[in-house]
């Protein structure tokens, strides 16, 4: 072990000076003949790493994840099963269902933006612009015009002529607001059948004078049985997936 350490020290002591000199400029911006600016690899890597830190927020705010996870959480609350399924299970299900729903968008981003950029056919600015177009189209299809008008009025940009001119700073909060409203509407419809079962069980227990017994203990098996008999998971997941492309 000592010989290995000594050998490594000797190697690094006699490294030629040419290896110690930087092989590339860390930060540089060059302007081409057509006026376009090209960034060095270091800046591109820095931009890429910065975008990775924003990936979780983008996943939640610009995809179908928000609607799905809220509906699944309301479903668990309606069933009254406490922590079953677990939060990790619901998040994993919502995540992979979001990948399934967003697959056409991701595929278009790869075909129009990622692959040409990796082949050095377009610049990073063009790649970002092309990558934003599929997400813009998806979010506009799910966003209510009333929500867009709300944030346009708050921003003082009521003169937007078409939805394509809506900036991302306005489109993302409008999309999230619409997703929250849609998720709670779906959750309300899911909650009603289970609420009816709770009311029937509570009324039956009170009529029998069993007021000390919690209605949840009696109604839980019936709610689970109803949910299984109607193939509830397939209905919920199928409805959520189809609600984005109706």
């Amino acid at each position: 072990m000592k010989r290995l350490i000594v050998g490594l020290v000797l190697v690094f002591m006699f490294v030629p000076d040419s290896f110690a000199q930087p092989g590339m400029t860390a930060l540089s911006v060059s302007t081409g003949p057509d006026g376009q600016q090209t960034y060095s690899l270091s800046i591109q890597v820095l931009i890429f790493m910065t975008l990775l830190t924003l990936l979780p927020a983008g996943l939640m705010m610009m995809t179908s994840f928000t609607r799905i996870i809220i509906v699944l959480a309301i479903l668990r609350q309606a069933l009254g099963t406490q922590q079953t399924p677990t939060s990790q299970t619901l998040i994993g299900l919502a995540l992979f269902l979001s990948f399934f729903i967003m697959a056409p968008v991701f595929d278009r981003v790869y075909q129009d933006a990622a692959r040409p950029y990796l082949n050095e056919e377009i610049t990073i600015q063009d790649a970002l612009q092309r990558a934003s177009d599929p997400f813009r189209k998806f979010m506009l299809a799910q966003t209510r015009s009333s929500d867009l008008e709300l944030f346009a009025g708050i921003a003082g940009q009521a003169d937007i002529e078409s939805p394509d001119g809506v900036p991302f700073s306005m489109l993302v909060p409008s999309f999230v607001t619409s997703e929250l409203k849609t998720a709670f509407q779906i959750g309300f419809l899911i909650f009603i059948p289970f609420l009816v079962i709770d009311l029937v069980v509570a009324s039956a227990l009170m009529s029998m004078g069993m007021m000390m017994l919690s209605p949840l203990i009696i109604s839980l098996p019936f709610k689970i049985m109803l949910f299984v008999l109607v193939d509830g998971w397939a209905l919920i997941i199928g409805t959520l997936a189809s609600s984005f492309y109706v």
Side-chain angles (χ1 to χ4, degrees), residues 35-51:
Q36 291 187 350
Q37 292 182 338
T38 303
Y39 298 94
S40 65
L41 182 61
S42 300
I43 297 181
Q44 295 181 19
V45 172
L46 179 61
I47 295 175
F48 178 73
M49 297 302 294
T50 303
L51 292 177

Side-chain angles (χ1 to χ4, degrees), residues 60-86:
M60 292 186 293
M61 298 293 101
M62 298 173 59
T63 65
S64 58
F65 182 84
T66 300
R67 182 190 304 185
I68 296 171
I69 192 61
I70 291 177
V71 171
L72 293 179
I74 293 177
L75 171 63
R76 185 176 65 180
Q77 184 70 24
L79 283 172
T81 53
Q82 302 300 324
Q83 295 299 320
T84 304
T86 62

Side-chain angles (χ1 to χ4, degrees), residues 10 40 50 77 92 96 98 164 170 178 192-193 226 229 233 242:
L10 292 175
S40 65
T50 303
Q77 184 70 24
F96 281 97
S98 298
D164 295 334
M170 186 185 305
S178 295
I192 291 178
L226 173 66
L229 288 178
W233 286 112
S242 61

